[in-house]
Amino acid sequence: MASSACVCPGASVSGAHHRLLLPCSPRRLPRPRPRSCLRLVACHADTLLPSSSPSGGHVPAACPSTSSANGFSGWLREHGLPPGKVAILDRPVPCFREGKDLPLHYVAAGQDLEAGDVAFEVPISLVVTLERVLGDESVAELLTTNKLSELACLALYLMYEKKQGKDSFWYPYIKELDRQRGRGQLAVESPLLWSENELNYLKGSPMRDEVVARDEGIRREYNELDTLWFMAGSLFQQYPFDIPTEAFPFEIFKQAFVAVQSCVVHLQKVSLARRFALVPLGPPLLTYKSNCKAMLTAVGDSVRLVVDRPYKAGEPIIVWCGPQPNSRLLLNYGFVDEDNPFDRIVIEASLNTEDPQFQEKRMVAQRNGKLAIQNFHVCVGKEKETITEMLPYLRLGYISDPDEMHAILSSKGDTCPVSPCTERAVLDQLVGYLESRLGSYPTTLDEDEAMLADGNLEPKKEVATRLVRLEKNLIKIRKATCSDPEVLRLDMSLKTMFSLMITSGRSASLEGNLKSG
């Protein structure tokens, strides 16, 4: 579901880039010294286009379809949508614009369904793809190489179609997208459309910098739109409007881009020109979930949805949103998933360029598949694996003897020496980095839990609080419990970090690994 415009999550925190910088060839390591026990809670740190997870057993209040939904459904049936087993219902949304927010539509089971049932099948004639927009796959490939994403092309196409009003074939679909405004199951827009004050809800999170980076990427694409106009002139001759950057200001384009971003489906096993598709009855009317298996698939000249679980009539239809972390889900679709098995944070580590042995250390890192600036992904349930992968890289910063470095270069594989002093220094540095990350947030985990339990947060603040709470749970230093005598003799402050890292049966030579638990 990602596009070439997507910006991968970084490791910056609250505007200041948090990078784990390795030391510069220390000549002598400090002797280990006792440390006081760490505190576990150490923080103070209009468009072109339901609060509860249905998997938890709660079915949002549903209302009969409005005339708008009926008009959209009628348009689909009139143009070839086969009879399906779904209905378009209304979901009330919290109104924070003086009551001007209309209920959102969502696709629900129109009757009881069993796993394996075909919920609906949309003919390709009702699907917006680059094949439909450009009519030439070679042009599509040329336009979407480096400069423009599929999202930008699709957004521009619908913007021109919207200018035609009711004369456009897509008028009922565009009207529905306008109503949704890119809002999914939590009725929240992407942070790309939040105000500066609303972005402060994400203070301390790498997400805030990611929003800025994505915004800059969208602006770069906007500046290339005229290229699309001139290269696909035969397409745009039908529109009696100015070239893109004269017809649409940047803010309008960004709103359209974000709305399309929340709706686009990444189809598998199709041609390049059909890869990204806007599917009526698809998202944001469908409810996304990370642990679902159902997905929209291209079958011949249609896009079909086969459900992966039974449904009662009126329940929202759930589809898989791809292996995306919560930061990407919020950026693209305006929600986070508490049960996301693909969630992760990023720790960015870097060799010190001022180190006299920087070049040699970079060679060792490259030989082991690492870069001078390396991102390590801390994934849910795999904290131990990440820390184990990081330790050899971090040890490089503590190599100071040229003969020792020469021996490492002459050998094969990862041969950085392991000693209690080195491991203590490495783990102290890593603990300090994680404490710094936690301290960047203005609230503690307890405060986040209290705000969410209160239930009075406005939707954007609620989803932002859920995100930062999940991030903190991945970062936080946790007290470990283990029966290994070697572990029990370790200093308490070094027995607290990623409890999964502490395992029984370790030898004293791996003291540093045990400390990282």
Side-chain angles (χ1 to χ4, degrees), residues 178-197:
D178 269 341
R179 184 191 187 98
Q180 299 294 128
R181 296 206 333 264
R183 296 171 295 171
Q185 57 249 49
L186 294 182
V188 175
E189 298 167 322
S190 164
L192 289 164
L193 300 178
W194 292 9
S195 69
E196 200 61 35
N197 286 338

Side-chain angles (χ1 to χ4, degrees), residues 401-468:
D401 188 338
D403 292 337
E404 196 171 47
M405 178 56 47
H406 178 72
I408 294 172
L409 285 169
S410 301
S411 63
K412 294 182 179 180
D414 174 27
T415 56
C416 289
V418 178
S419 71
C421 286
T422 299
E423 296 299 89
R424 174 65 64 89
V426 167
L427 268 299
D428 275 357
Q429 184 185 18
L430 190 50
V431 168
Y433 169 83
L434 294 173
E435 288 177 334
S436 175
R437 286 278 295 261
L438 284 173
S440 298
Y441 295 96
T443 58
T444 66
L445 269 171
D446 287 344
E447 290 168 336
D448 294 341
E449 296 286 358
M451 286 190 291
L452 292 171
D454 184 67
N456 290 322
L457 295 177
E458 64 98 352
K460 291 177 184 175
K461 187 166 186 178
E462 178 182 344
V463 74
T465 303
R466 292 188 183 280
L467 177 75
V468 298

Side-chain angles (χ1 to χ4, degrees), residues 188-497:
V188 175
E189 298 167 322
S190 164
L192 289 164
L193 300 178
W194 292 9
S195 69
E196 200 61 35
N197 286 338
E198 290 167 339
L199 284 177
N200 285 333
Y201 300 153
L202 297 167
K203 187 176 180 181
S205 170
M207 183 71 191
R208 203 179 191 289
D209 290 334
E210 191 172 341
V211 170
V212 174
R214 179 74 69 88
D215 187 82
E216 292 171 351
I218 296 173
R219 187 174 291 277
R220 286 194 296 271
E221 294 212 60
Y222 173 75
N223 293 333
E224 294 292 339
L225 287 182
D226 292 351
T227 302
L228 176 60
W229 169 277
F230 291 117
M231 292 185 66
S234 58
L235 165 70
F236 294 110
Q237 283 176 1
Q238 63 183 295
Y239 303 115
F241 310 116
D242 294 331
I243 62 175
T245 54
E246 295 179 7
F248 309 105
F250 170 70
E251 287 304 319
I252 296 298
F253 171 73
K254 185 170 80 167
Q255 290 172 7
F257 184 98
V258 171
V260 169
Q261 172 182 267
S262 72
C263 306
V264 75
V265 176
H266 192 174
L267 297 176
Q268 305 294 318
K269 300 179 181 179
V270 295
S271 66
L272 174 69
R274 288 190 179 186
R275 181 177 59 176
F276 286 84
L278 298 175
V279 183
L281 297 184
L285 278 72
L286 290 172
T287 300
Y288 272 144
K289 195 69 181 167
S290 298
N291 57 7
C292 178
K293 294 182 180 179
M295 57 189 299
L296 290 163
T297 56
V299 181
D301 286 328
S302 66
V303 176
R304 176 185 300 173
L305 176 63
V306 177
V307 297
D308 69 333
R309 63 193 67 191
Y311 289 92
K312 295 294 184 182
E315 290 186 321
I317 300 294
I318 300 171
V319 294
W320 188 46
C321 51
Q324 303 183 72
N326 278 318
S327 58
R328 189 65 59 81
L329 296 182
L330 179 55
L331 191 64
N332 290 346
Y333 315 114
F335 81 102
V336 296
D337 188 346
E338 301 277 353
D339 303 316
N340 187 355
F342 306 102
D343 201 15
R344 65 175 184 261
I345 60 168
V346 177
I347 294 178
E348 187 180 76
S350 172
L351 298 175
N352 197 323
T353 56
E354 296 181 1
D355 191 329
Q357 299 186 92
F358 170 74
Q359 294 297 339
E360 291 85 350
K361 292 180 180 181
R362 185 174 65 172
M363 291 175 62
V364 173
Q366 289 176 341
R367 187 174 66 187
N368 288 279
K370 301 292 186 291
L371 303 173
I373 300 176
Q374 179 66 39
N375 284 342
F376 294 91
H377 295 269
V378 183
C379 301
V380 169
K382 297 182 179 179
E383 296 90 343
K384 172 183 174 180
E385 290 85 346
T386 306
I387 301 300
T388 301
E389 181 188 8
M390 288 182 66
L391 288 177
Y393 186 88
L394 298 182
R395 292 181 191 123
L396 276 174
Y398 293 87
I399 304 299
S400 58
D401 188 338
D403 292 337
E404 196 171 47
M405 178 56 47
H406 178 72
I408 294 172
L409 285 169
S410 301
S411 63
K412 294 182 179 180
D414 174 27
T415 56
C416 289
V418 178
S419 71
C421 286
T422 299
E423 296 299 89
R424 174 65 64 89
V426 167
L427 268 299
D428 275 357
Q429 184 185 18
L430 190 50
V431 168
Y433 169 83
L434 294 173
E435 288 177 334
S436 175
R437 286 278 295 261
L438 284 173
S440 298
Y441 295 96
T443 58
T444 66
L445 269 171
D446 287 344
E447 290 168 336
D448 294 341
E449 296 286 358
M451 286 190 291
L452 292 171
D454 184 67
N456 290 322
L457 295 177
E458 64 98 352
K460 291 177 184 175
K461 187 166 186 178
E462 178 182 344
V463 74
T465 303
R466 292 188 183 280
L467 177 75
V468 298
R469 183 189 63 171
L470 291 168
E471 289 177 348
K472 292 171 191 176
N473 276 321
L474 273 171
I475 298 172
K476 73 175 183 179
I477 301 172
R478 292 180 291 196
K479 181 177 179 180
T481 56
C482 184
S483 59
D484 189 329
E486 288 296 319
V487 177
L488 294 176
R489 286 198 293 268
L490 292 176
D491 182 272
M492 282 295 293
S493 66
L494 293 175
K495 288 200 306 176
T496 60
M497 188 178 70

Side-chain angles (χ1 to χ4, degrees), residues 63-73 88-90 103 105 176 179:
C63 306
S65 299
T66 63
S67 58
S68 171
N70 286 332
F72 177 52
S73 300
I88 300 178
L89 303 180
D90 286 350
H105 292 150
E176 181 63 31
R179 184 191 187 98

Side-chain angles (χ1 to χ4, degrees), residues 35-71:
R35 295 178 56 187
S36 59
C37 184
L38 295 176
R39 290 192 303 160
L40 296 183
V41 189
C43 310
H44 276 298
D46 285 311
T47 310
L48 161 66
L49 287 147
S51 292
S52 297
S53 167
S55 64
H58 174 73
V59 180
C63 306
S65 299
T66 63
S67 58
S68 171
N70 286 332

